[in-house]
Amino acid sequence: MSYYVLVVILAALSMIGALSIDAYLPALPTIAQSYGAPLPAVQQTLTVYLFALAFMMLFYGTLSDAFGRRPVILGSLLFYLASSLGAAWAPSLSWLLFFRLWQGLSAGAGMVVGRAVVGDLFSGVEAQRLMSYISVVFGLAPALAPIFGGWVLAMLGWRSIFLSIALFSLALLIACWYGLPESLATNKRHAFHFKIIVGHYLEVGSHLRFMLRSIAIALSFSGIIVYVATAPVYILNLLHLSVKDFGWLFVTFIAGMTLGSAAAGQLSHRLKPAVIIASGYAIMVGAVIASLVYTGLFEPRVPWAVIPHFFYGFGMALGSPAMTVLTLEMFPKVKGLSSSLQGFIFMLIFSLVSGAIAPFLYESAFRLAMGTSTGLGLSLLLWWLGSRGEQEHGILSEEEQQLIEEAPHL
């Protein structure tokens, strides 16, 4: 199978979860009007989806470790297609909530199992390079989805948003059926026994370095999550732009992340992972400092207010692939389970930042910058703590040691 076909399929799989979150957000008031329901009640369709998505992410990796990557991905896509069609034709809000629940339960397999596929087929710098391509698409989806949803809403109505998502999942199902190989050999699979699975979860979940690193990776995305969650207020009220000007925010992030991903893919063959990660953090720190200084001294206006977003996206896309690969390689025999737990952590951070923290930052651009800097500071601290033991005591996994030994010769 072509390397580039695999890249496209895995990148598309990583989009599903975020696409289902953000694409329909512009339509929430319209949906409320359509069902004659209050907006807070309709917003529960997002809460139900996020809960189901985070919960099921705990199991997809384990299922794929036991039954193989391909059956889990194909089965989840089939359920996702059916639930998307159900959401498009839901006759009432109760039915929409039901189908959103099933969307959440089936949407996380692509991201979780896709990362395990990368670990099965590649290692070292090749895995890091492929992960960089997947990461940029995963980061772009929350930025592009509201724009896409707004266009479809304006032209065809809110039900067509779910129909469009269903068509996307159908195309992806066909692509996976013909183009995605089974990457986990039968002799490497684990029996699906409850006690064994619980034991593996306890082993991975109690591993301090793994947990610290996984939380750090999720928090490094907070600089994007904060602004995506507050995009209407940020664009319309703080930057005083119109509904046609959302590109100032989203295109800026997209450009930075695209270039950062490209740089990560190129540098993975030339620099040690630790150097790439440190460079990514340094760029993000510079971006949040610039944002804090500008929003603290001036009334935010484009383009100056959004230039730091470009550099934040660049730094995040540069460092996160190496961070993800090094963290998943800590448990090479249960990569699916490790990926599940990592995805669950990410979704919890995503839900917390977007739902509980971002609303308290609406009042000013400076508060938004403060929120971003706090998330990044915590990410940097946790990553340092998660790496400190190996620096002081030489505690390295076999795969990490191989990465470090090979890097200078690449």
Side-chain angles (χ1 to χ4, degrees), residues 346-362:
F346 180 88
M347 286 310 306
L348 285 182
I349 298 295
F350 184 101
S351 303
L352 178 64
V353 173
S354 62
I357 297 176
F360 293 99
L361 308 176
Y362 283 162

Side-chain angles (χ1 to χ4, degrees), residues 73 209 217 357 366:
I73 288 179
R209 284 173 53 222
I217 295 169
I357 297 176
F366 182 75

Side-chain angles (χ1 to χ4, degrees), residues 108-395:
M111 182 178 70
V112 171
V113 183
R115 287 187 297 188
V117 170
V118 174
D120 293 337
L121 298 177
F122 304 95
S123 62
V125 294
E126 280 301 321
Q128 180 182 331
R129 183 184 180 190
L130 180 55
M131 196 68 74
S132 70
Y133 298 142
I134 295 174
S135 294
V136 72
V137 176
F138 178 74
L140 292 179
L144 292 175
I147 299 175
F148 167 79
W151 289 346
V152 174
L153 174 65
M155 294 185 296
L156 301 172
W158 70 266
R159 295 182 185 273
S160 296
I161 296 176
F162 290 108
L163 286 176
S164 299
I165 294 174
L167 289 175
F168 174 79
S169 61
L170 176 61
L172 189 52
L173 177 62
I174 295 172
C176 290
W177 180 269
Y178 290 103
L180 185 67
E182 177 54 64
S183 61
L184 185 65
T186 304
N187 61 357
K188 293 185 177 180
R189 299 178 187 178
H190 302 280
F192 193 77
H193 296 308
F194 180 76
K195 289 184 178 180
I196 296 176
I197 292 171
V198 172
H200 285 156
Y201 268 112
L202 291 175
E203 179 187 3
V204 178
S206 62
H207 195 285
L208 182 60
R209 284 173 53 222
F210 178 87
M211 295 301 293
L212 289 173
R213 287 181 171 192
S214 297
I215 297 172
I217 295 169
L219 285 172
S220 71
F221 281 80
S222 60
I224 293 178
I225 298 172
V226 164
Y227 287 98
V228 170
T230 61
V233 175
Y234 182 63
I235 294 295
L236 301 178
N237 298 349
L238 300 180
L239 296 183
H240 305 290
L241 300 173
S242 71
V243 292
K244 299 179 180 180
D245 296 320
F246 276 66
W248 277 108
L249 175 63
F250 295 125
V251 173
T252 304
F253 273 130
I254 290 169
M257 293 168 62
T258 301
L259 293 177
S261 175
Q266 293 297 319
L267 293 176
S268 63
H269 292 273
R270 297 179 175 87
L271 299 176
K272 294 181 179 181
V275 175
I276 297 176
I277 293 169
S279 300
Y281 269 122
I283 294 171
M284 286 189 285
V285 168
V288 296
I289 290 175
S291 185
L292 284 169
V293 171
Y294 175 74
T295 56
L297 297 177
F298 304 99
E299 182 74 16
R301 292 289 184 270
V302 294
W304 311 112
V306 298
I307 289 176
H309 304 334
F310 169 87
F311 288 101
Y312 191 97
F314 183 95
M316 190 206 70
L318 177 65
S320 61
M323 296 166 70
T324 301
V325 169
L326 286 180
T327 303
L328 291 179
E329 289 288 356
M330 295 171 69
F331 293 94
K333 295 183 180 180
V334 285
K335 289 180 180 176
L337 184 147
S338 302
S339 181
S340 277
L341 191 55
Q342 202 174 80
F344 175 74
I345 292 170
F346 180 88
M347 286 310 306
L348 285 182
I349 298 295
F350 184 101
S351 303
L352 178 64
V353 173
S354 62
I357 297 176
F360 293 99
L361 308 176
Y362 283 162
E363 294 185 7
S364 71
F366 182 75
R367 281 196 177 189
L368 292 174
M370 282 292 296
T372 298
S373 63
T374 301
L376 179 61
L378 289 173
S379 173
L380 182 56
L381 174 62
L382 293 179
W383 184 262
W384 176 75
L385 290 174
S387 305
R388 187 167 61 116
E390 67 192 33
Q391 293 169 356
E392 293 182 353
H393 306 294
I395 304 173

